[in-house]
Amino acid sequence: MFLINCPYCGERDQSEFSCGGEAHIVRPKQPTELSDDEWAEYLFMRKNIKGVQFERWNHAHGCRKWFNMVRDTSNDKIHAVYKMGEKPPVE
Amino acid sequence: MKNKYSIFSLIKNAFSQHENWKQAWGDPEPKTEYEAIIIGGGGHGLATAYYLAKKHNMRNIAVLEKGWIGGGNTGRNTTIIRSNYLWDASAGLYDHALKIWENLSQELNYNIMFSQRGVMNLAHNLQDVRDLKRRTHANRLNGIDAVWLNTDQVKEFCPIINTSPDIRYPVLGGTLQRRAGTARHDAVAWGYARGADEMGVDIIQNCEVKGIKRNGDKVEGVETSKGFIKTKKIGVVAAGHSSVIANMAGIKLPLESKPLQALVSEPVKPIIDTVVMSNAVHAYVSQSDKGELVIGAGTDAYVSYTQRGSHDVVEGTLKAILELYPIFSRMKMLRQWGGIVDICPDASPIISKTNIKGLYFNCGWGTGGFKATPGSGDLFAHTIANDEPHKLNAAFNLNRFVSGDLVDEHGAAAVAH
């Protein structure tokens, strides 16, 4: 439970948002050429970090836009919010 | 058994004001080397150590626990035990556990307070009815007891449920597994700890694993807060922190860790003598022997290791509880807590070898690991001792995420994830 500063709407309750999981997992450019191992890596394997993690969020009950967030999963503290397509901040 | 519990030992100790009971398990310092190390002193980890010692004669082993035994998800769940899963692989796994539960108090000489009070799963819409009837048939084909109850039979089995057709999600029926029930979570961890300790297993508490030492594709030992310990076999049973350990070993797992909440009410006289679960409205409730209502809520829909959980999740669960049980409207909730559950993409566990020799994972139990504790320990011990899975956990290998042979229990497991 925390507040999220939506880059389009401002600060709202987390319950308005839905989390889209780990960010910056690049969709394969040539899906037909992927091995089973590479598919497993893309589809299922996750860093699931205890600590600072980059993730995608959607303001589902608001502007419905997607954006990225840097959050510490060990204490739910949000370090940065940035729009899709923008470079992730370097700590 | 050095300290066998019985009516006679109880009477004997009563004469000395119960001051001479022996310690149930020791508090050893770690040795420099073990045959195998289990990371995680919850129910699953302690059961693994117990069966490694008992069935596979591996006595020079240790269980490393960063806090105190049974203090993680073992002490944070709602203690529901059932085996009414849809798919054959899951049915085999969970019913194996249920069969061990049925004699576990005798086997451990420790009262785990196993109570086969039945678990009822409610249907609230036509799709629920179809799904649950299908599951009932699948269960019976797998030799698992299951019956379909219509609305009147649900009311008869648990009279306090509101079966009015006018509520938001009316009760259209339900399934009942009579062999299912609950057990005392602490006692499970303590019983296994005592049994394992007696066979020479070192249970080392307050010992956090800081790193896994690898030599190429083999493990060599673990770096801990109490120093380096050499071993050739490591069994990781770290629940929500499995990915953290995997990261130390340099591998990735298909897991996401999320807080799952539960809460208990003030204690009241016996009012509900079974376990009732509802998938559609996500509310499940039973009553502990102390009289508290034990209520399971949902997971937060994002990765977090905070062991808290969000207020809106609890609010949603309690709304559903109140609509189904108007009689609870003036109950006060006493305690609320969260545990970190590791969820697999197919909502089934992983009990498996890895690509690294000597490194084994037992994880991904998600929101429902307690019920499997004895079976999980037994099968994981088999996997570690033989370096091969038992036929009951062969389907739950890590490679299924590569082969695509998933055990998809998301909807079928009778609880929403």
Side-chain angles (χ1 to χ4, degrees):
Chain A
M1 191 166 57
F2 40 82
L3 294 173
I4 295 175
N5 194 7
C6 171
Y8 305 96
C9 310
E11 204 165 61
R12 301 291 169 88
D13 193 279
Q14 170 266 316
S15 60
E16 287 188 17
F17 298 81
S18 65
C19 183
E22 192 179 319
H24 306 299
I25 296 174
V26 182
R27 190 177 171 81
K29 286 216 168 59
Q30 295 288 345
T32 48
E33 281 164 28
L34 246 49
S35 69
D36 288 351
D37 282 309
E38 287 165 329
W39 268 122
E41 181 73 21
Y42 169 69
L43 283 174
F44 299 126
M45 299 302 162
R46 295 293 177 261
K47 289 181 190 152
N48 195 23
I49 293 167
K50 183 181 187 179
V52 176
Q53 165 157 301
F54 294 78
E55 49 197 24
R56 300 175 303 165
W57 284 78
N58 179 252
H59 194 180
H61 300 287
C63 65
R64 303 190 63 190
K65 286 192 176 118
W66 284 91
F67 57 92
N68 290 314
M69 200 156 102
V70 187
R71 185 172 59 95
D72 189 332
T73 60
S74 66
N75 56 19
D76 285 344
K77 201 173 162 218
I78 297 166
H79 292 295
V81 173
Y82 56 102
K83 292 179 184 172
M84 283 291 165
E86 286 179 3
K87 281 229 156 73
V90 207
E91 299 278 311
Chain B
M1 200 169 264
K2 63 184 168 188
N3 197 11
K4 189 166 162 44
Y5 297 152
S6 67
I7 182 76
F8 303 109
S9 68
L10 192 64
I11 294 166
K12 191 176 141 217
N13 278 281
F15 287 112
S16 53
Q17 278 74 47
H18 296 291
E19 284 174 358
N20 295 328
W21 288 103
K22 287 192 201 110
Q23 214 177 335
W25 57 89
D27 186 20
E29 282 302 307
K31 296 180 206 160
T32 52
E33 184 173 358
Y34 288 98
E35 204 179 336
I37 284 176
I38 305 300
I39 302 175
H44 290 242
L46 293 163
T48 305
Y50 175 83
Y51 292 112
L52 273 175
K54 188 178 176 190
K55 290 178 132 178
H56 307 282
N57 209 27
M58 287 170 72
R59 304 285 164 105
N60 184 26
I61 58 177
V63 178
L64 307 184
E65 166 56 48
K66 75 172 169 181
W68 61 93
I69 58 166
N73 292 353
T74 301
R76 293 165 191 268
N77 69 89
T78 50
T79 75
I80 297 170
I81 295 164
R82 59 187 179 87
S83 64
N84 55 353
Y85 279 69
L86 177 69
W87 301 114
D88 295 351
S90 315
L93 177 67
Y94 291 102
D95 211 51
H96 176 62
L98 184 48
K99 284 180 188 135
I100 304 177
W101 280 117
E102 287 176 328
N103 285 312
L104 194 58
S105 288
Q106 286 75 14
E107 185 185 341
L108 295 175
N109 178 235
Y110 202 97
N111 186 5
I112 56 154
M113 297 161 77
F114 182 51
S115 156
Q116 290 178 296
R117 61 183 68 183
V119 169
M120 186 161 69
N121 294 105
L122 300 180
H124 297 279
N125 54 52
L126 293 176
Q127 188 59 42
D128 275 0
V129 171
R130 283 188 288 264
D131 286 347
L132 292 190
K133 280 187 174 169
R134 177 191 178 202
R135 184 161 58 68
T136 307
H137 296 314
N139 288 160
R140 289 161 80 166
L141 286 172
N142 276 318
I144 292 167
D145 68 305
V147 284
W148 168 259
L149 305 179
N150 63 28
T151 309
D152 292 340
Q153 290 167 317
V154 166
K155 184 78 178 170
E156 196 184 343
F157 188 68
C158 184
I160 60 169
I161 294 182
N162 180 6
T163 50
S164 157
D166 299 327
I167 61 174
R168 176 68 183 82
Y169 297 101
V171 176
L172 302 185
T175 66
L176 174 62
Q177 185 182 19
R178 291 186 194 275
R179 283 164 65 230
T182 60
R184 171 79 197 161
H185 48 79
D186 291 330
V188 176
W190 297 341
Y192 273 123
R194 174 168 167 265
D197 178 88
E198 178 142 315
M199 290 183 286
V201 174
D202 280 356
I203 295 162
I204 303 160
Q205 305 184 74
N206 298 308
C207 179
E208 186 175 356
V209 170
K210 304 276 193 189
I212 307 276
K213 194 173 173 210
R214 272 174 65 176
N215 180 7
D217 61 354
K218 307 200 288 268
V219 295
E220 288 200 321
V222 290
E223 206 63 67
T224 75
S225 54
K226 295 191 175 187
F228 179 73
I229 310 172
K230 212 172 143 186
T231 189
K232 288 198 174 72
K233 288 188 171 189
I234 301 171
V236 185
V237 205
H241 283 69
S242 299
S243 296
V244 177
I245 307 280
N247 190 28
M248 291 174 188
I251 62 170
K252 260 195 199 173
L253 294 172
L255 298 174
E256 287 195 309
S257 297
K258 296 172 178 179
L260 173 67
Q261 290 180 83
L263 58 163
V264 295
S265 73
E266 57 190 327
V268 290
K269 286 186 177 175
I271 182 76
I272 178 165
D273 63 356
T274 184
V275 182
V276 185
M277 307 177 63
S278 167
N279 190 0
V281 298
H282 207 292
Y284 47 103
V285 63
S286 61
Q287 191 171 16
S288 74
D289 292 350
K290 285 185 282 183
E292 304 153 323
L293 295 181
V294 182
I295 294 169
T299 53
D300 284 343
Y302 50 85
V303 171
S304 180
Y305 288 84
T306 52
Q307 291 192 330
R308 286 198 295 266
S310 301
H311 187 69
D312 54 315
V313 173
V314 172
E315 205 177 4
T317 291
L318 289 178
K319 273 183 198 161
I321 294 273
L322 287 191
E323 181 138 295
L324 279 175
Y325 312 92
I327 193 173
F328 295 150
S329 65
R330 299 174 75 176
M331 293 277 281
K332 291 181 176 66
M333 293 299 142
L334 274 194
R335 288 177 287 126
Q336 167 275 348
W337 64 90
I340 304 305
V341 298
D342 44 329
I343 300 176
C344 266
D346 60 354
S348 283
I350 296 166
I351 313 170
S352 178
K353 307 199 301 188
T354 62
N355 291 333
I356 300 165
K357 194 167 164 39
L359 185 65
Y360 307 86
F361 271 88
N362 183 355
C363 58
W365 289 96
T367 58
F370 179 76
K371 66 172 83 70
T373 305
S376 154
D378 182 31
L379 299 172
F380 195 44
H382 181 101
T383 307
I384 294 173
N386 300 304
D387 197 37
E388 277 301 324
H390 186 278
K391 68 177 191 317
L392 287 174
N393 69 309
F396 299 96
N397 61 62
L398 196 47
N399 197 51
R400 72 178 189 266
F401 298 97
V402 177
S403 70
D405 192 9
L406 304 177
V407 189
D408 188 5
E409 285 287 359
H410 261 293
V415 63
H417 292 275

